[in-house]
Amino acid sequence: MANTGSSSLATILFLFLFQAALLKGAAQEPVVSQNLVTDNVSVVEGEMAIISCRVKNNDDSVIQLLNPNRQTIYFRDVRPLKDARFQLVNFSGNELKVALSNVSLSDEGRYVCQLYTDPPQEAYADVTVLVPPGNPIIEARDEVLSEGNETEMTCTAMSSKPAASIRWMKGDKELPGKPKVELTYDKMYTVTSRLTFTVSKEDDGVPVACIVDHPAVKDFLAQKYLEVQYKPEVKIVVEFPQGLTREGENLELTCQAKGKPQPQRVNWVKVDDDVPSHAVISGGDLYIENLNKTYNGTYRCVASNAVGESFDDYILYVYDAPTTTPKPTTASTSTTTISSTISLPEANQDTTPSTEPAAHDSRAGEGAPRTVDHAVIGGVVAVVVFAMLCLLIVLGRYFARHKGTYFTHEAKGADDAADADTAIINAEGGHTNSDEKKEYYI
């Protein structure tokens, strides 16, 4: 009996524990976790920042927003903090969204979204305040530049946060600068970029731009136009004659010179000799009458300004006067030819060969276009016509000489025969030797 009672007690205890476990399992419901999230915010000084605290699967737990000093800005939809710049944008069981207007640097920091659970949850929103730089300031060391010289320009972007970056553009070409960043006492950044480059005459009037890049602004720029002075550009133009220069004719040359500043002095010289005494020089014009071969040589036009001087050369070569009698014309006659230009080195020039101007040359030869001589062309045409006439005469006489009747050897003796039969009999060899007969044609 004792064993039976103890066994029954054990069974009852087991059933009791099993039922208790079932009841406990039925009483417990699955718990869904709550998730609190927020976002970092970047805002330009003076503008508005939006801070959002969001909860997923909220069970009506309380949401609140705290500032970097852990002061409560909003508790649910109530604003304990006495700062009217904070305004409620949205409040619900899943979100607390607050707007902060007229943001200043003092508002920067880590804001806290807090959810009252057990234990409490926190999420952090870092608010970064951007301060754009002031207007960039561009300065040049030299206001007026000379070609070939080096110049320096600086550009400054002041009081920005974070530090700005500076790019340089000359025309449509980007140039590298050397930046320098300084942190000021008010935790602002001042950036200065220095640009050094060599100018050429092609840079005159070209803009140089300083472009400032910053998260708060894009393509913020200042620019300055270059003013470059350069040496004169000199070119000799042959006014007369437009081709071969012959004895007895006149020569007229014009020197064209331009530069910055404009050349004030233009001078004509003859290399290694004196300009003919009767030559007339008027400004950039050179006029020589009644040419002869003693005037051969190199005539140089030299122009100068405040930057330097340049020159261009004309090589004169006087040809013999035409031997053919020219057609009657008016009192003023000219021979139309083609002028030529070649480049000849001068031993006494100071400049390097790559910078020497090309010399105008009145000679017609290698390296210059062929001149057109109408007398030579006429002579060649006359010779060709004469040769053709001679050929026609020879051919006419040849055909006239071989025109008419011809006879074979078989006809020999036929002229003395009385009739045809006799002529055949009298022919050499008769018909018996007909196989040996041959005909000759001329």
Side-chain angles (χ1 to χ4, degrees):
M1 292 292 295
N3 292 336
T4 301
S6 61
S7 175
S8 298
L9 183 60
T11 301
I12 293 171
L13 181 60
F14 173 79
L15 292 174
F16 176 79
L17 294 175
F18 178 75
Q19 289 177 354
L22 289 176
L23 292 174
K24 184 178 180 180
Q28 290 182 346
E29 296 180 357
V31 177
V32 179
S33 62
Q34 301 178 86
N35 187 19
L36 179 65
V37 294
T38 187
D39 301 308
N40 294 330
V41 179
S42 292
V43 60
V44 177
E45 184 181 28
E47 296 185 359
M48 179 180 290
I50 303 294
I51 305 172
S52 175
C53 303
R54 301 181 300 277
V55 181
K56 184 178 181 181
N57 303 319
N58 192 10
D59 60 354
D60 294 332
S61 297
V62 176
I63 307 173
Q64 71 171 350
L65 176 64
L66 289 76
N67 65 12
N69 296 324
R70 306 291 293 193
Q71 296 172 321
T72 301
I73 301 173
Y74 266 92
F75 182 85
R76 297 177 65 89
D77 58 348
V78 179
R79 176 167 56 84
L81 188 65
K82 302 304 180 181
D83 190 342
R85 295 182 304 146
F86 290 97
Q87 294 295 325
L88 185 64
V89 177
N90 181 48
F91 172 74
S92 66
N94 296 321
E95 182 182 41
L96 173 62
K97 182 182 290 187
V98 178
L100 172 60
S101 60
N102 194 22
V103 176
S104 64
L105 280 176
S106 61
D107 297 320
E108 190 175 67
R110 173 166 288 187
Y111 289 73
V112 182
C113 291
Q114 199 171 70
L115 181 64
Y116 279 93
T117 58
D118 188 16
Q121 295 186 38
E122 289 186 352
Y124 305 100
D126 291 324
V127 175
T128 302
V129 179
L130 306 177
V131 180
N135 293 332
I137 301 172
I138 186 171
E139 295 178 335
R141 184 182 64 189
D142 309 300
E143 290 299 326
V144 179
L145 308 169
S146 298
E147 65 170 327
N149 290 347
E150 187 178 76
T151 189
E152 182 178 280
M153 303 181 76
T154 58
C155 180
T156 304
M158 301 180 62
S159 301
S160 67
K161 181 179 174 297
S165 61
I166 297 178
R167 295 182 292 120
W168 289 95
M169 295 291 293
K170 187 181 74 170
D172 56 356
K173 181 180 180 182
E174 185 168 354
L175 300 179
K178 296 180 179 179
K180 180 182 178 181
V181 181
E182 294 179 340
L183 181 62
T184 58
Y185 68 94
D186 53 356
K187 297 183 180 180
M188 295 291 185
Y189 294 91
T190 295
V191 181
T192 302
S193 181
R194 192 177 307 276
L195 175 66
T196 304
F197 62 98
T198 302
V199 297
S200 64
K201 63 182 179 182
E202 289 77 13
D203 293 330
D204 185 43
V206 174
V208 175
C210 158
I211 304 173
V212 177
D213 291 328
H214 189 269
V217 291
K218 293 294 182 184
D219 296 335
F220 202 24
L221 64 85
Q223 64 180 9
K224 189 177 185 65
Y225 288 88
L226 297 176
E227 183 177 351
V228 181
Q229 295 182 342
Y230 51 89
K231 295 189 301 183
E233 298 175 350
V234 184
K235 180 182 179 182
I236 295 177
V237 178
V238 181
E239 301 291 349
F240 184 85
Q242 296 298 313
L244 294 178
T245 48
R246 298 185 181 275
E247 287 187 309
E249 292 184 344
N250 301 331
L251 175 67
E252 183 177 353
L253 304 177
T254 297
C255 180
Q256 298 178 350
K258 62 179 181 178
K260 189 173 182 180
Q262 185 66 22
Q264 299 298 321
R265 185 179 62 180
V266 178
N267 190 29
W268 282 97
V269 297
K270 186 178 181 184
V271 178
D272 298 331
D273 203 350
D274 295 330
V275 176
S277 58
H278 70 283
V280 177
I281 299 176
S282 176
D285 297 331
L286 172 65
Y287 182 76
I288 304 176
E289 291 184 336
N290 195 19
L291 293 174
N292 63 64
K293 294 187 177 181
T294 62
Y295 299 155
N296 288 350
T298 301
Y299 291 80
R300 175 172 295 176
C301 172
V302 183
S304 62
N305 60 10
V307 181
E309 70 175 28
S310 303
F311 65 88
D312 191 19
D313 288 341
Y314 173 82
I315 301 175
L316 174 64
Y317 184 85
V318 180
Y319 286 82
D320 293 332
T323 55
T324 58
T325 303
K327 295 181 180 180
T329 59
T330 59
S332 177
T333 61
S334 62
T335 304
T336 303
T337 55
I338 300 176
S339 63
S340 59
T341 302
I342 62 175
S343 180
L344 297 177
E346 292 291 340
N348 61 340
Q349 293 181 3
D350 297 332
T351 56
T352 60
S354 60
T355 59
E356 291 180 357
H360 300 268
D361 198 339
S362 64
R363 295 176 295 177
E366 183 178 355
R370 298 291 182 182
T371 57
V372 180
D373 196 324
H374 298 285
V376 175
I377 294 176
V380 172
V381 172
V383 171
V384 172
V385 173
F386 179 75
M388 293 179 64
L389 290 175
C390 291
L391 180 61
L392 291 174
I393 292 172
V394 172
L395 291 175
R397 289 178 60 85
Y398 175 78
F399 287 115
R401 185 176 181 181
H402 295 83
K403 182 179 180 183
T405 308
Y406 64 89
F407 302 94
T408 65
H409 289 283
E410 293 178 353
K412 290 183 178 181
D415 294 338
D416 300 330
D419 52 25
D421 293 336
T422 305
I424 294 173
I425 295 171
N426 289 340
E428 287 186 9
H431 289 284
T432 59
N433 298 326
S434 61
D435 294 337
E436 299 178 0
K437 302 301 183 182
K438 297 182 179 179
E439 293 181 355
Y440 295 89
Y441 296 87
I442 297 177

